[in-house]
Amino acid sequence: MPEPTLSPWWTPDRLADRRPYLLGRARITAAIRGWFAARDFVEVETPALQVSPGNEAHLHAFATEAVGIAGERAPLFLRTSPEFAAKKLLAAGEPRMFELARVWRNRERGPLHHPEFTLLEWYRAGQPYDTLMTDCAALLALAAEAAGAKTISFRDQDADPFAEPERVTLAEAFERFASVNLLATVEADGATDREGLIAAAKGQGIRIADDDTWADVFSRVLVEKIEPNLGRGRATILCEYPVSEAALARPTAADPRVAERFELYACGVELANCFGELTDPAEQRRRFEVEMAEKVRVYGERYPIDEDFLAALGSMPEASGGALGLDRLVMLVTGARHIEQVLWAPVADA
């Protein structure tokens, strides 16, 4: 039998089905604004149109162009994150800020992905990145309280949103869930041992392609072996990513092989990605060039580097910043099963 055809999202019956989730979204958004205001954060608004959408190899942007009065044309992109503009504000002297930012990512659509979505991004000048771990736990509990949820469930997993999150390093997670010694394949300067990781992954039944890079294998182990085990019973903070997997984060003081990056998971779903911010423009440029070389290799295209961003980075204070997917957070705490249930008006499906 063919799948039944759904009525358009704007019909009264479809809205009636989604409206409880959408009202939950409104309460959660209001609670988040109140939480940040109570902590002396200022809400900012930064431009969606940017000269660079970001320089991560596997993020795909929507491209457009600016047309001047005389008809001159210049390429622009819809941002994949407000990060570059927010860091320029840090350089300008704004110490605490947040934004509920509309962002766009191409090649992304499914139960947990949408081409246009909302990122909550926030930055703390002069604060260690551990502070953001506390923020993430508080925001998860705040959202659950606003939605009236005592527990959260997704794909047969449950978690207590009010419990203190478990903290697990990438090295611990790879050892625990995949029996892989991850850091044995990372050198002190951040260089990676592709063959060593491939051998370890093959020993655990991970499929390997001939042209896989170290990063490809890392991601496959993470997705297949690690992520399904995260955020069970309570949220998980997965921290200390290898520096090659943390393009905008600074190395930790204790171990230069790993960076001040963590992700928040609940019920196997990634909710937030947070950094102790890299402030070295030369190192940042090097990392961007590495990412764009990989983008050319895999996809045959590259995005420009925002030179203005690199200039601002040189005068940016030490800071920590986080990005949390608002739509996914709303999904988990309201009990929605698909991201479009928590969007007032989804993007047309081409």
Side-chain angles (χ1 to χ4, degrees):
M1 292 288 291
E3 288 285 330
T5 301
L6 292 174
S7 55
W9 64 263
W10 45 263
T11 56
D13 61 319
R14 292 285 300 279
L15 177 60
D17 288 341
R18 291 162 42 240
R19 198 164 186 270
Y21 305 125
L22 296 169
L23 294 179
R25 180 190 182 106
R27 292 193 299 272
I28 291 163
T29 302
I32 286 171
R33 284 195 162 103
W35 189 89
F36 279 107
R39 287 155 181 80
D40 297 323
F41 281 75
V42 62
E43 183 172 5
V44 301
E45 296 174 302
T46 59
L49 289 170
Q50 295 286 324
V51 297
S52 175
N55 295 105
E56 295 183 48
H58 301 294
L59 285 186
H60 302 278
F62 288 85
T64 184
E65 62 179 2
V67 182
I69 294 174
E72 67 276 18
R73 296 174 181 271
L76 287 174
F77 300 88
L78 288 173
R79 64 188 178 184
T80 59
S81 160
E83 184 167 4
F84 289 0
K87 289 181 177 178
K88 292 173 186 178
L89 286 174
L90 284 170
E94 197 60 58
R96 290 188 179 190
M97 76 190 87
F98 78 99
E99 182 173 7
L100 288 162
R102 304 294 288 190
V103 298
W104 292 262
R105 296 183 184 179
N106 221 336
R107 301 196 187 194
E108 294 193 10
R109 190 154 200 154
L112 290 168
H113 296 86
H114 199 70
E116 180 177 352
F117 62 102
T118 301
L119 272 182
L120 165 64
E121 286 219 5
W122 73 106
Y123 292 86
R124 291 177 173 270
Q127 292 290 308
Y129 98 125
D130 292 28
T131 307
L132 273 67
M133 297 181 183
T134 303
D135 289 347
C136 282
L139 289 166
L140 178 59
L142 179 79
E145 184 177 15
K150 298 187 184 303
T151 188
I152 53 178
S153 301
F154 190 74
R155 292 177 178 169
D156 300 321
Q157 294 191 35
D158 301 297
D160 179 354
F162 303 101
E164 182 72 19
E166 174 190 26
R167 296 189 188 186
V168 181
T169 69
L170 263 294
E172 291 168 343
F174 268 63
E175 187 64 48
R176 183 188 306 177
F177 301 120
S179 299
V180 169
N181 185 343
L182 178 66
L183 293 185
T185 70
V186 182
E187 303 295 333
D189 62 357
T192 53
D193 174 9
R194 174 181 178 271
E195 298 306 321
L197 187 58
I198 285 175
K202 281 184 174 179
Q204 299 303 312
I206 300 294
R207 178 183 55 83
I208 304 296
D210 291 342
D211 62 347
D212 275 345
T213 64
W214 185 95
D216 293 331
V217 180
F218 170 88
S219 296
R220 198 164 294 130
V221 176
L222 182 65
V223 169
E224 294 183 19
K225 297 287 189 178
I226 312 300
E227 288 186 335
N229 293 291
L230 302 179
R232 291 175 175 264
R234 56 175 171 156
T236 299
I237 288 173
L238 186 66
C239 58
E240 296 186 15
Y241 277 66
V243 289
S244 62
E245 298 302 308
L248 290 122
R250 61 185 173 235
T252 65
D255 187 344
R257 296 176 297 174
V258 297
E260 291 187 351
R261 176 189 176 190
F262 75 84
E263 292 191 317
L264 175 72
Y265 286 83
C267 299
V269 176
E270 179 214 334
L271 291 175
N273 186 21
C274 303
F275 296 155
E277 303 294 353
L278 181 67
T279 56
D280 179 341
E283 173 61 14
Q284 189 65 81
R285 181 187 297 277
R286 185 195 68 79
R287 294 186 189 184
F288 282 166
E289 291 292 357
V290 169
E291 287 290 310
M292 290 302 91
E294 179 66 3
K295 192 171 194 69
V296 169
R297 184 186 74 84
V298 178
Y299 305 108
E301 64 175 346
R302 64 178 291 139
Y303 297 141
I305 290 173
D306 184 345
E307 296 293 342
D308 196 43
F309 167 68
L310 292 178
L313 205 63
S315 56
M316 190 181 113
E318 294 294 310
S320 296
L324 185 149
L326 178 70
D327 314 279
R328 288 185 180 183
L329 178 66
V330 173
M331 280 181 64
L332 290 191
V333 300
T334 62
R337 288 294 173 263
H338 196 289
I339 197 168
E340 292 192 10
Q341 292 177 288
V342 302
L343 302 177
W344 281 96
V347 173
D349 190 350

